Amino acid sequence: MTLTTTTTSSTRDALMREPAWESFVRGRLMNEEDVARLTKIADVARALTMLDADGDVADRRPGAQPSYDAVTTMRATIKHHGDAVCETLLGTLRNVGAVDATEHVLALMDVVLFQRAWDASAKEGASGAELFVNHVGSGAEEVLGQDAYGTVGRTLERPEDASSWFIKEKASRALAAMVRARPKKANETKQTSVKGAIRTLTRWAVRELRSGAHEMNERVIPAVVGTLAMVLEIPEARELAASEGAVELLTPLLHSAPSQSVQVMYEVALCFWLMSFNTNARRAMCARGAMSVKALMACAASATKEKVIRVAILALKNITDRHGVDGDAVGDNFTAVDESLRKVVNNLSLRGFEDEELSSTLTELDEDLRARRKEASSWERYRNEVMSGSLEWSAAHKDEGFWRECATKLTDNNCQILRVLIKLVDGSETMDPKTLAVAIHDIGEFAVHYPAGRFLANDLGGKDHAMRLMSHEDDEVRKYALMCVQKLLVSSWKSLSANE
């Protein structure tokens, strides 16, 4: 994949680069009033972002604030002329397709949208997004797809060869802020626009993650994850994200803590927590050998900031909830890592966090894990672990009594559990070495403890897969593969092993 060269690297660059507005006026894409308004807003925006006339930061002292005059002017402009500002910015985005002009307008929009960045007295969560979502324009904006949602959404989805990463970054941030500020009561047209914006943002984020663009541009992950963290606050977005594969694509990011900022790791974990309120997303987290669950555990165990640990643990609590956060529990698929999670929870509990919510969540999660273990029989725990597709060396696997009592249960429902064990080692999917070792060990135990178990396992391909794994790169896998082959070939394995 070839990334388009980013013509602008920062808001500062975009604000300082004044587009050739006159050419667009001559082309009747905008009028003189629009140009005057854009120029005035840009002058104030540059002052707000601490730039002098040459584009240099006017005051580099730590904690330096924009001038009082600039803040006052922008406040007044938004308060008294907000509708006109919106119409000019959105109209320019709709009518002028030049990259430098689009970047400049999006930089101005970013200043208007995120008031807290330049106004220290603004209320927490203060945003200019309401201006845009409530804007009633001259007519074009009332047509479906021509309002703020549709205009910014189309800007975000520009073809790769006609865009820049700065445009994607700012357009996604702006659209996410507008979705968050959507009116609680809206007409059908506006509701349709909001739903379209949610789809646009979610699919864009998933597409960027799937494209591998983040491997070539370090700005991709912060922008994409930040956008998802905002849009996933909406239940509809969680269902769409799950169906588009967001869980699988975000999981590797939980392992990249050393290379990512604390804020990025927090937002990645936050995405998992928000998605954990959706049944299909929770199922996806428990699938593929519970890879997402293991990644969340690793993130919680290694994180140094309490806010990262808190959202990771909250996500894990939702996934493991025996009753389901929405009445649909998927916890049975989680049994494979119950013991590992208990260790993580116990270790975190010893750290004495000041965050009361985190401490209480750890306590609740530990109690839930204990209750699950108490409720489930040995066979239920074993069955759930196998069905999860991720195996650990829990007690049942090497318990002679368990195999004497339960080997026959592997043949229930047309050998369901035996078939799953063989599926885990057949090479059709990538498995971690521990799962392979445990699965191939269990196939051997079944062959020993079930009458005619050798023949049944062989008929399902057990011997062929075991022989292939004898050359596996992992020592433990090779060891148990060899033992499994011996058990499948030797009819009197018990007496043979006793003699040894």
Side-chain angles (χ1 to χ4, degrees):
M1 174 184 174
T2 302
L3 281 179
T4 301
T5 302
T6 303
T7 59
T8 294
S9 61
S10 67
T11 300
R12 166 182 166 169
D13 291 342
L15 289 175
M16 289 309 301
R17 185 184 293 113
E18 191 83 17
W21 298 126
E22 296 78 9
S23 64
F24 303 124
V25 172
R26 289 195 298 270
R28 297 185 179 181
L29 298 174
M30 57 193 305
N31 57 43
E32 294 288 356
E33 185 179 356
D34 291 328
V35 173
R37 186 172 291 124
L38 287 169
T39 301
K40 180 179 179 180
I41 299 171
D43 287 340
V44 180
R46 281 190 284 265
L48 288 173
T49 52
M50 310 296 289
L51 304 179
D52 61 21
D54 297 321
D56 295 322
V57 179
D59 193 337
R60 297 179 182 275
R61 292 173 300 172
Q65 298 294 323
S67 70
Y68 175 78
D69 288 344
V71 172
T72 302
T73 301
M74 184 58 84
R75 278 186 197 152
T77 300
I78 291 175
K79 181 177 181 180
H80 300 295
H81 307 286
D83 211 47
V85 169
C86 289
E87 185 161 356
T88 295
L89 292 173
L90 293 173
T92 307
L93 278 183
R94 276 194 299 271
N95 300 324
V96 180
V99 171
D100 63 335
T102 302
E103 291 176 340
H104 187 78
V105 171
L106 285 173
L108 295 176
M109 187 178 288
D110 198 69
V111 173
V112 175
L113 280 168
F114 299 99
Q115 187 175 349
R116 283 278 294 179
W118 49 266
D119 188 353
S121 65
K123 294 181 180 179
E124 186 69 36
S127 167
E130 291 84 357
L131 280 176
F132 289 91
V133 300
N134 296 320
H135 169 59
V136 178
S138 56
E141 292 87 343
E142 292 305 295
V143 178
L144 181 61
Q146 295 297 317
D147 60 1
Y149 296 110
T151 299
V152 180
R154 283 193 303 279
T155 302
L156 176 62
E157 293 188 306
R158 284 184 175 184
E160 191 75 28
D161 60 355
S163 187
S164 71
W165 180 254
F166 183 86
I167 289 177
K168 293 182 179 183
E169 192 173 41
K170 294 302 180 184
S172 63
R173 176 172 149 98
L175 190 57
M178 292 176 192
V179 167
R180 176 182 273 181
R182 66 197 183 284
K184 294 182 178 179
K185 295 182 179 180
N187 59 37
E188 186 176 348
T189 299
K190 185 70 73 176
Q191 289 177 2
T192 301
S193 292
V194 173
K195 291 178 181 178
I198 293 170
R199 289 193 298 270
T200 295
L201 281 169
T202 306
R203 287 171 176 162
W204 170 79
V206 171
R207 191 166 60 246
E208 290 296 332
L209 289 172
R210 185 171 284 121
S211 72
H214 56 282
E215 297 176 1
M216 296 174 276
N217 186 343
E218 62 183 12
R219 292 167 59 183
V220 172
I221 293 301
V224 169
V225 171
T227 295
L228 274 177
M230 282 198 277
V231 76
L232 287 172
E233 294 177 3
I234 304 167
E236 298 91 327
R238 299 167 192 167
E239 181 66 33
L240 179 59
S243 66
E244 293 283 332
V247 170
E248 182 178 355
L249 292 167
L250 285 170
T251 296
L253 301 184
L254 289 168
H255 292 295
S256 61
S259 61
Q260 300 292 349
S261 68
V262 170
Q263 184 61 25
V264 167
M265 293 310 300
Y266 168 72
E267 289 176 341
V268 173
L270 179 62
C271 287
F272 277 94
W273 177 55
L274 292 170
M275 287 192 291
S276 72
F277 287 93
N278 177 270
T279 301
N280 290 329
R282 292 200 304 278
R283 288 199 175 102
M285 293 176 201
C286 293
R288 297 171 294 108
M291 288 177 60
S292 299
V293 175
K294 291 178 180 178
L296 278 167
M297 289 164 51
C299 176
S302 62
T304 56
K305 296 294 183 180
E306 289 190 15
K307 68 176 186 178
V308 177
I309 299 171
R310 181 175 65 252
V311 289
I313 290 296
L314 285 170
L316 288 167
K317 184 176 183 298
N318 281 352
I319 300 167
T320 63
D321 193 312
R322 289 173 295 152
H323 307 293
V325 291
D326 52 8
D328 190 355
V330 297
D332 282 352
N333 294 331
F334 192 80
T335 308
V337 289
D338 267 3
E339 291 303 314
S340 298
L341 179 57
R342 284 190 64 192
K343 292 178 182 178
V344 171
V345 170
N346 290 337
N347 289 337
L348 290 174
S349 298
L350 296 174
R351 290 172 58 173
F353 295 112
E354 295 181 2
D355 187 323
E356 292 184 2
E357 182 184 16
L358 174 55
S359 297
S360 63
T361 303
L362 287 169
T363 300
E364 292 170 6
L365 183 51
D366 182 60
E367 291 174 351
D368 194 63
L369 291 170
R370 290 177 184 275
R372 191 208 317 280
R373 183 175 180 82
K374 185 176 181 180
E375 290 173 2
S377 67
S378 296
W379 168 249
E380 288 172 332
R381 289 198 299 271
Y382 177 81
R383 180 187 180 281
N384 292 334
E385 182 181 358
V386 173
M387 294 302 291
S388 77
S390 177
L391 307 182
E392 301 276 343
W393 285 115
S394 51
H397 298 287
K398 295 189 176 183
D399 183 348
E400 183 74 15
F402 170 83
W403 286 108
R404 283 197 304 269
E405 179 182 342
C406 299
T408 185
K409 295 183 179 181
L410 271 68
T411 63
D412 291 349
N413 299 319
N414 193 26
C415 300
Q416 181 189 32
I417 299 302
L418 178 61
R419 290 177 186 276
V420 173
L421 286 172
I422 292 175
K423 179 66 176 176
L424 292 176
V425 301
D426 69 2
S428 61
E429 296 182 26
T430 302
M431 292 289 166
D432 63 277
K434 183 176 290 184
T435 293
L436 287 174
V438 177
I440 203 67
H441 165 272
D442 287 5
I443 294 170
E445 288 299 290
F446 170 78
V448 171
H449 290 88
Y450 182 74
R454 293 188 302 123
F455 303 106
L456 186 52
N458 285 337
D459 288 345
L460 295 175
K463 184 178 71 174
D464 293 337
H465 300 316
M467 293 181 71
R468 177 177 50 81
L469 290 176
M470 286 171 61
S471 59
H472 194 274
E473 60 183 12
D474 184 82
D475 291 343
E476 190 175 43
V477 174
R478 290 200 304 273
K479 170 186 173 182
Y480 287 104
L482 173 60
M483 292 176 66
C484 180
V485 169
Q486 291 173 334
K487 293 173 182 178
L488 291 171
L489 292 176
V490 179
S491 59
S492 54
W493 168 262
K494 289 184 179 179
S495 58
L496 180 64
S497 59
N499 292 334
E500 292 178 349

